[in-house]
Amino acid sequence: MNTLTLGASRVGYEVKTYFRQGDSVFFTFLFPVVMLSIFSVAFSESSFGPPGDEISAAAFYLPGMLAAGILLSGLQNLGVDIAMEKSDGTLKRFAGTPLPVVSYFIGKMGQVLVTGLMQAALLILVASVLFGVELPADPEKWLTFAWVFLLGVTTSAVLGIAVSGLPRSGKSATAVIIPIALVLQFISGVYLQFSMLPEWLQQVASVFPLKWMAQGMRSVFLPEAFEVLEQGESWNLAGVAIVCGIWLVVGLVLTRLTFRWIRKDS
Amino acid sequence: MTTEYVVQVEDLRKSYGAFTAVDGVTFDIRRGETFALLGPNGAGKSTTIEILEGYRDRTSGEVSVLGTDPGRGGLDWKAKLGIVLQSTGESGNVTVREQLAHFARFYPNPRDVDEVIAAVGLEEKQKTLIRKLSGGQRRRVDVALGIIGRPELLFLDEPTTGFDPEARRQFWELIRSLKAEGTSILLTTHYLDEAAQLGDRAGVIAGGRMVDIGAIDEIGGADARIPVVRWIENGVLREERTTTPGALVARLGEPDGLEVVRPSLEDIYLELVGEAGLAAAATDTVIEGAAL
């Protein structure tokens, strides 16, 4: 049994256990759908965007919720999940078996990819069927969606593994990791329109990958008239690739340096 | 493959700052042998076993487990071990069968999943989520996970805590069948009858030191096994240790409350641990005296 086949069997196991955990299904899987529904209903009378190109609240919030989903499924989900597994003895048990660490990571990444993809599909479906959001017809837009999603979800998952070492116990995991995710969502244009934020806050948000994931998603789902609202009046997809790519590398290096099955002598 | 010793420990020490948890422990385990490590809480049993399992680093001393230094054991080495840790609290969102089938894939030559489920007596519960099991049933899953990989050496750290008497007896049968297959076992337990039932040899550890080591029926020395005759004379409990209890009883006739007691492993153990406690206290006094 090699590392890759074991990794594949871990993916099945991880996805199965993910959906059996009631709180993770609600707080990471359904949360963006719930938020999208609330915003769409609450602002159903308002319209967003420049005059002549107004769109509904559902259409306006869809890209942000897709980006939030990527963050929740990766960073928040894995950060909390692995911290819990550290403290409840799951990792200690693995440490005593011949399971390769890489197979364990493949399982986690696979779980994030599968659940993140299902979540994105559900969001797009709800937006289009329930709230009548018009989806892009241009295949090039969907190609952009594909790479922004894949890069975003991978970066988010790797960062989740990296931050799982921060909480000192499983109990404090949610208290440490959820606020990080929440603050990022507020400053990165998920809940609040990014162009309305003060410039210094935009600069701060630009350091982190979520702002760029949301921007990539806006480039796919918003009309072209919205491009002028972005920083530099451009979707700047190169920037999306560069910033997410840098964070991906940072996450990998941190994980390589800090991850241990168990802290010896603790 | 026929190394005579599966575990060799020579002058093992482990300190945490000024506190010495394990203070010069030496023992070894032969292939196929079941070795019981006994001692009160905090004596250093778990620290010792976790060093052998590769979970903790040692401060000094020589340790070899299946010919490998546990601090450097790779995946091939881990594939030959079975580890049942002292306590586990995983979320348990998988069924007994799913968990065992999954863990079986980690090992090159695993046991049959059905066989293992039957061996730990969880046939009825195999489709139940682990989190819905009772404490004793979860413990059996731990044991099942420890043996699924067909280990050469099995570590059992207080395996039967939370078992009812019947489950313990079933567990003993399981361990005997593993022994019969040639599995070497290192067992720690609080139940001295368990050590007496399963162990070939035992080591008693107290205050981080091995206070005695030997075959289960020899530990503590011959003197510790001299039978005790008790009876009541003029309303007072009398007690006498003698190698010829029959002669003594014959001389006493029919006194009240007559009994002949052969010290159990538990009695011998308590005596050993008690002596170690006194000796440690005496050493402390000497040191304090010297400091003055």
Side-chain angles (χ1 to χ4, degrees):
Chain A
M1 188 68 58
N2 67 41
T3 305
L4 291 180
T5 11
L6 260 184
S9 100
R10 289 290 310 158
V11 175
Y13 181 97
E14 293 280 5
V15 171
K16 193 159 56 187
T17 49
Y18 175 91
F19 283 109
R20 283 181 190 165
Q21 194 108 35
D23 47 359
S24 71
V25 171
F26 186 78
F27 285 106
T28 63
F29 191 77
L30 294 179
F31 194 71
V33 179
V34 171
M35 294 309 279
L36 179 72
S37 306
I38 291 173
F39 284 130
S40 303
V41 172
F43 302 121
S44 60
E45 300 298 313
S46 329
S47 59
F48 296 79
D53 285 296
E54 287 103 338
I55 54 172
S56 68
F60 180 78
Y61 278 108
L62 176 63
M65 292 307 144
L66 283 166
I70 292 173
L71 188 81
L72 295 179
S73 291
L75 183 116
Q76 177 171 315
N77 168 39
L78 285 195
V80 172
D81 184 31
I82 297 176
M84 296 289 240
E85 289 193 340
K86 244 178 207 162
S87 77
D88 73 14
T90 304
L91 297 193
K92 191 169 184 185
R93 198 196 290 280
F94 287 147
T97 73
L99 175 71
V101 180
V102 173
S103 304
Y104 172 78
F105 285 154
I106 292 174
K108 291 293 180 201
M109 303 291 286
Q111 181 213 57
V112 171
L113 193 64
V114 171
T115 61
L117 211 52
M118 290 168 74
Q119 182 182 51
L122 184 67
L123 268 169
I124 293 171
L125 195 75
V126 166
S128 127
V129 174
L130 289 185
F131 300 110
V133 172
E134 216 173 302
L135 300 178
D138 185 356
E140 208 179 303
K141 293 277 184 194
W142 288 104
L143 200 68
T144 307
F145 171 79
W147 77 253
V148 170
F149 177 83
L150 283 177
L151 178 62
V153 94
T154 313
T155 304
S156 177
V158 169
L159 289 174
I161 299 172
V163 300
S164 70
L166 287 180
R168 289 174 159 243
S169 72
K171 276 181 194 163
S172 64
T174 47
V176 173
I177 289 169
I178 290 182
I180 298 177
L182 205 60
V183 168
L184 278 181
Q185 289 172 67
F186 272 103
I187 65 170
S188 302
V190 168
Y191 300 132
L192 308 173
Q193 192 175 339
F194 194 71
S195 52
M196 308 287 260
L197 300 178
E199 202 175 320
W200 67 268
L201 195 55
Q202 292 189 355
Q203 300 292 354
V204 171
S206 299
V207 173
F208 301 102
L210 182 60
K211 178 259 180 189
W212 298 94
M213 296 176 200
Q215 189 168 317
M217 287 298 171
R218 285 197 293 273
S219 83
V220 175
F221 292 95
L222 296 189
E224 267 161 39
F226 281 71
E227 190 168 358
V228 294
L229 296 174
E230 299 295 333
Q231 279 180 308
E233 301 187 6
S234 156
W235 297 126
N236 192 4
L237 290 177
V240 175
I242 291 167
V243 175
C244 287
I246 290 173
W247 277 100
L248 178 60
V249 173
V250 167
L252 285 172
V253 170
L254 278 178
T255 300
R256 182 74 189 80
L257 292 180
T258 62
F259 186 86
R260 297 283 180 277
W261 281 134
I262 54 161
R263 292 179 189 141
K264 280 191 180 182
D265 301 325
S266 60
Chain B
M1 286 315 289
T2 48
T3 329
E4 204 196 345
Y5 294 105
V6 289
V7 171
Q8 286 175 292
V9 177
E10 176 85 40
D11 199 23
L12 175 65
R13 277 168 215 278
K14 174 71 188 177
S15 322
Y16 299 95
F19 173 68
T20 304
V22 179
D23 191 7
V25 163
T26 298
F27 67 100
D28 43 48
I29 304 175
R30 288 182 205 100
R31 188 166 288 276
E33 186 176 49
T34 298
F35 185 86
L37 198 54
L38 311 173
N41 287 332
K45 294 191 304 285
S46 285
T47 305
T48 303
I49 203 168
E50 291 203 340
I51 289 170
L52 302 191
E53 291 163 341
Y55 283 125
R56 285 174 199 273
D57 294 325
R58 58 185 187 272
T59 307
S60 68
E62 291 303 313
V63 179
S64 161
V65 173
L66 297 176
T68 299
D69 178 341
R72 304 205 179 98
L75 297 181
D76 292 340
W77 176 74
K78 288 182 187 175
K80 292 187 266 183
L81 301 180
I83 297 177
V84 177
L85 293 165
Q86 206 174 84
S87 64
T88 46
E90 289 132 298
S91 49
N93 276 312
V94 281
T95 68
V96 173
R97 165 168 283 281
E98 285 169 343
Q99 185 79 333
L100 284 167
H102 184 64
F103 272 69
R105 304 190 68 167
F106 300 173
Y107 295 89
N109 181 26
R111 270 177 228 277
D112 181 67
V113 172
D114 289 302
E115 222 171 81
V116 172
I117 289 174
V120 296
L122 285 174
E123 293 103 321
E124 309 278 304
K125 295 284 178 187
Q126 57 173 303
K127 290 189 177 142
T128 306
L129 291 182
I130 292 174
R131 71 177 144 87
K132 292 190 175 155
L133 299 177
S134 71
Q137 287 166 341
R138 282 188 78 138
R139 202 72 191 118
R140 291 198 234 174
V141 176
D142 291 336
V143 173
L145 290 171
I147 64 174
I148 190 78
R150 206 183 292 280
E152 281 178 41
L153 171 62
L154 178 61
F155 293 100
L156 295 168
D157 204 354
E158 297 180 10
T160 58
T161 305
F163 280 29
D164 58 44
E166 195 197 342
R168 280 180 70 211
R169 267 158 220 284
Q170 282 172 1
F171 173 78
W172 293 353
E173 279 314 308
L174 169 64
I175 298 305
R176 288 194 187 102
S177 71
L178 293 173
K179 276 177 79 168
E181 285 176 35
T183 313
S184 313
I185 298 169
L186 173 54
L187 168 78
T188 76
T189 179
H190 279 306
Y191 303 106
L192 278 295
D193 56 337
E194 188 161 285
Q197 287 283 338
L198 302 175
D200 300 312
R201 285 193 308 137
V204 177
I205 201 167
R209 291 168 190 269
M210 195 70 95
V211 294
D212 199 11
I213 184 166
I216 286 283
D217 49 9
E218 287 168 10
I219 200 159
D223 288 353
R225 290 189 159 66
I226 295 172
V228 178
V229 179
R230 291 199 190 100
W231 70 97
I232 293 168
E233 198 173 284
N234 303 328
V236 181
L237 181 70
R238 297 280 308 271
E239 186 177 290
E240 201 172 313
R241 294 194 96 150
T242 168
T243 48
T244 54
L248 177 59
V249 169
R251 187 162 52 80
L252 289 170
E254 285 298 339
D256 284 342
L258 176 66
E259 56 179 356
V260 180
V261 186
R262 208 164 278 275
S264 66
L265 181 60
E266 183 147 345
D267 299 324
I268 295 164
Y269 162 82
L270 289 172
E271 206 162 301
L272 280 170
V273 171
E275 278 170 17
L278 289 178
T283 321
D284 285 349
T285 319
V286 172
I287 292 167
E288 273 169 39
L292 291 171

